[in-house]
Amino acid sequence: WSDPENMGYPINTPDDDIFFVLSTNGKTGYYSSVRPDGYGDVDIYSIHFLSEDFGLSVFKGMVVEDDSTADKPLPATISLFAMPTDTLLNTTQNKPEGIYNTNKLTGKFILIVKTNMEYTIQVQAQGYATYTRKINASALNQIDKIKLQRTGQ
């Protein structure tokens, strides 16, 4: 991450603007704010970015148990590592770009990645073997089902 930058009005205001979230396509930002002309105590506002290309893509996935015929969702942790261009990735020595958790009920997750980069994901769940694979922007169009095997099988 880089140092925070004040982007000026209308994105940064003297008001209490908090919880900025960018949509997955990068064209709309949402935040909450307390303003005198608002409808309640804290209101949700949106910002539309007309021509900005943030160079981001969405990787959607779902972690399930491999030996389950009904795709039993698993709570898991996904570590996202940027792939070095000149060497093989050693996930024990490199710091992850991000650490994500699956939805505990559905096993689903969403990763936001730079479009022009390759990554390795490492999926870990208690009682299951660690799963590692490469991802890139060309494989981001559908939900990827990751099946984990129980340890000791």
Side-chain angles (χ1 to χ4, degrees), residues 98-136:
I99 299 174
Y100 303 84
N101 293 310
T102 61
N103 179 296
K104 292 178 183 178
L105 298 177
T106 66
K108 293 181 179 179
F109 64 90
I110 296 175
L111 309 177
I112 307 296
V113 297
K114 293 179 183 173
T115 303
N116 61 346
M117 297 261 317
E118 285 195 347
Y119 295 91
T120 294
I121 58 170
Q122 184 178 67
V123 183
Q124 296 176 307
Q126 187 173 359
Y128 293 85
T130 299
Y131 175 91
T132 303
R133 72 170 264 212
K134 293 180 185 179
I135 64 169
N136 60 38

Side-chain angles (χ1 to χ4, degrees), residues 21-22 32 48 55 80-81 95 103 111 116 122 127 131:
V21 176
L22 189 62
S32 58
H48 301 281
L80 178 72
F81 297 91
K95 183 179 175 187
N103 179 296
L111 309 177
N116 61 346
Q122 184 178 67
Y131 175 91

Side-chain angles (χ1 to χ4, degrees), residues 14-152:
D15 298 311
D16 188 15
D17 303 329
I18 54 175
F19 303 119
F20 179 82
V21 176
L22 189 62
S23 66
T24 56
N25 67 8
K27 295 184 185 217
T28 307
Y30 299 93
Y31 65 95
S32 58
S33 184
V34 177
R35 296 191 179 178
D37 60 344
Y39 294 100
D41 185 32
V42 179
D43 298 308
I44 298 173
Y45 295 87
S46 63
I47 302 170
H48 301 281
F49 301 99
L50 300 178
S51 63
E52 186 71 28
D53 179 10
F54 290 99
L56 300 175
S57 296
V58 177
F59 180 76
K60 297 183 231 179
M62 180 174 168
V63 178
V64 298
E65 187 175 44
D66 188 33
D67 60 353
S68 171
T69 58
D71 286 340
K72 177 184 169 191
L74 293 174
T77 300
I78 298 101
S79 299
L80 178 72
F81 297 91
M83 287 294 295
T85 55
D86 55 351
T87 60
L88 294 173
L89 178 69
N90 181 346
T91 57
T92 60
Q93 293 180 354
N94 290 320
K95 183 179 175 187
E97 296 257 327
I99 299 174
Y100 303 84
N101 293 310
T102 61
N103 179 296
K104 292 178 183 178
L105 298 177
T106 66
K108 293 181 179 179
F109 64 90
I110 296 175
L111 309 177
I112 307 296
V113 297
K114 293 179 183 173
T115 303
N116 61 346
M117 297 261 317
E118 285 195 347
Y119 295 91
T120 294
I121 58 170
Q122 184 178 67
V123 183
Q124 296 176 307
Q126 187 173 359
Y128 293 85
T130 299
Y131 175 91
T132 303
R133 72 170 264 212
K134 293 180 185 179
I135 64 169
N136 60 38
S138 64
L140 304 179
N141 296 328
Q142 59 187 6
I143 294 179
D144 191 31
K145 194 176 292 182
I146 297 171
K147 295 187 175 193
L148 298 185
Q149 296 181 344
R150 286 192 177 273
T151 54

